[in-house]
Amino acid sequence: EPEVTQTPSHQVTQMGQEVILRCVPISNHLYFYWYRQILGQKVEFLVSFYNNEISEKSEIFDDQFSVERPDGSNFTLKIRSTKLEDSAMYFCASSDEGDSYEQYFGPGTRLTVT
Amino acid sequence: QKEVEQNSGPLSVPEGAIASLNCTYSDRGSQSFFWYRQYSGKSPELIMSIYSNGDKEDGRFTAQLNKASQYVSLLIRDSQPSDSATYLCAAEGNGDSGYALNFGKGTSLLVTP
């Protein structure tokens, strides 16, 4: 069964460093998303991406964040200068135009900023 | 502020019983609703989606939607210890606002043997 994959599973970085989180969405999906979940809190939407451009972003997704689809399979989230409060689980999700845009989540990347 | 509200629980039910999980949402523009299961330390796993008023059944799961009351529920029949997890309710906006999911904080379910 097709699934969303994410790498790395755990990333430790120092405050102020840049990190890139990688995702491979389900191959025939057209919509891609990033969400985050701070420990003990709810899952929060960051950004959606369709047709090679951002279609929607939340207030959390400020100028420190960017997304890119560098090739036909990968979807990346870059955080330019990490802060302690960026420590969270980051989930990638994808959906297609059928099944009313059901979103399937990857296993997540745990980002720890020290 | 668009909110999705869930009772945090924990909801404890004995094995074999029916677990009933509830969710309310504030955005009347939301068209689609989803239930996800999340085990501790894992990612959300899609259980069911529902778009129309009424009931939708899939195996042991039944989702119910009442748009007039802005209420969504999930029933789990014949609950098993493996169903013990946090259940997340999510509302999706219409196409005009994108397809971002707005999640509730989740209800913790404990199924006791």
Side-chain angles (χ1 to χ4, degrees):
Chain A
E1 185 175 320
E3 58 183 20
V4 177
T5 60
Q6 291 184 243
T7 54
S9 57
H10 190 190
Q11 174 89 49
V12 181
T13 189
Q14 289 189 326
M15 196 168 50
Q17 296 297 303
E18 175 183 287
V19 295
I20 298 177
L21 310 183
R22 292 180 167 80
C23 167
V24 178
I26 294 172
S27 62
N28 63 333
H29 282 185
L30 302 175
Y31 297 82
F32 315 120
Y33 312 84
W34 284 101
Y35 293 83
R36 78 172 186 190
Q37 186 175 32
I38 295 170
L39 187 64
Q41 298 188 23
K42 69 175 185 177
V43 176
E44 299 175 292
F45 168 74
L46 293 178
V47 65
S48 59
F49 193 86
Y50 171 71
N51 200 24
N52 286 317
E53 61 182 21
I54 290 173
S55 51
E56 187 181 4
K57 59 183 181 180
S58 72
E59 293 176 352
I60 303 169
F61 193 87
D62 61 21
D63 291 342
Q64 294 297 316
F65 292 88
S66 62
V67 290
E68 190 179 31
R69 188 155 164 83
D71 53 44
S73 59
N74 290 283
F75 180 51
T76 62
L77 174 69
K78 180 192 291 186
I79 309 175
R80 265 180 269 281
S81 178
T82 51
K83 306 181 184 71
L84 294 176
E85 55 264 37
D86 293 328
S87 295
M89 281 289 285
Y90 287 81
F91 297 112
C92 174
S94 68
S95 67
D96 67 16
E97 290 180 304
D99 295 326
S100 208
Y101 308 96
E102 289 181 341
Q103 295 182 28
Y104 296 88
F105 282 66
T109 294
R110 178 168 298 284
L111 177 65
T112 302
V113 183
T114 62
Chain B
Q1 185 81 348
K2 299 174 183 177
E3 297 288 345
V4 175
E5 301 285 350
Q6 295 182 257
N7 188 324
S8 62
L11 173 66
S12 183
V13 300
E15 183 175 357
I18 296 174
S20 177
L21 304 161
N22 305 313
C23 167
T24 59
Y25 60 94
S26 63
D27 183 10
R28 285 197 173 273
S30 295
Q31 298 295 314
S32 305
F33 304 88
F34 304 86
W35 283 100
Y36 286 83
R37 176 172 62 194
Q38 187 175 33
Y39 293 109
S40 181
K42 302 295 186 182
S43 63
E45 175 192 2
L46 181 65
I47 299 174
M48 289 191 69
S49 57
I50 187 165
Y51 322 110
S52 303
N53 281 327
D55 296 358
K56 179 181 177 183
E57 186 175 319
D58 184 0
R60 295 188 296 114
F61 300 96
T62 299
Q64 299 172 317
L65 173 61
N66 184 326
K67 291 186 178 180
S69 300
Q70 296 176 247
Y71 177 88
V72 193
S73 67
L74 180 71
L75 299 177
I76 307 175
R77 287 180 298 282
D78 188 24
S79 296
Q80 300 297 309
S82 58
D83 294 326
S84 298
T86 297
Y87 288 79
L88 310 180
C89 175
E92 184 181 82
N94 57 31
D96 292 340
S97 62
Y99 302 107
L101 292 179
N102 186 14
F103 281 87
K105 292 182 179 179
T107 297
S108 176
L109 174 66
L110 178 63
V111 181
T112 55

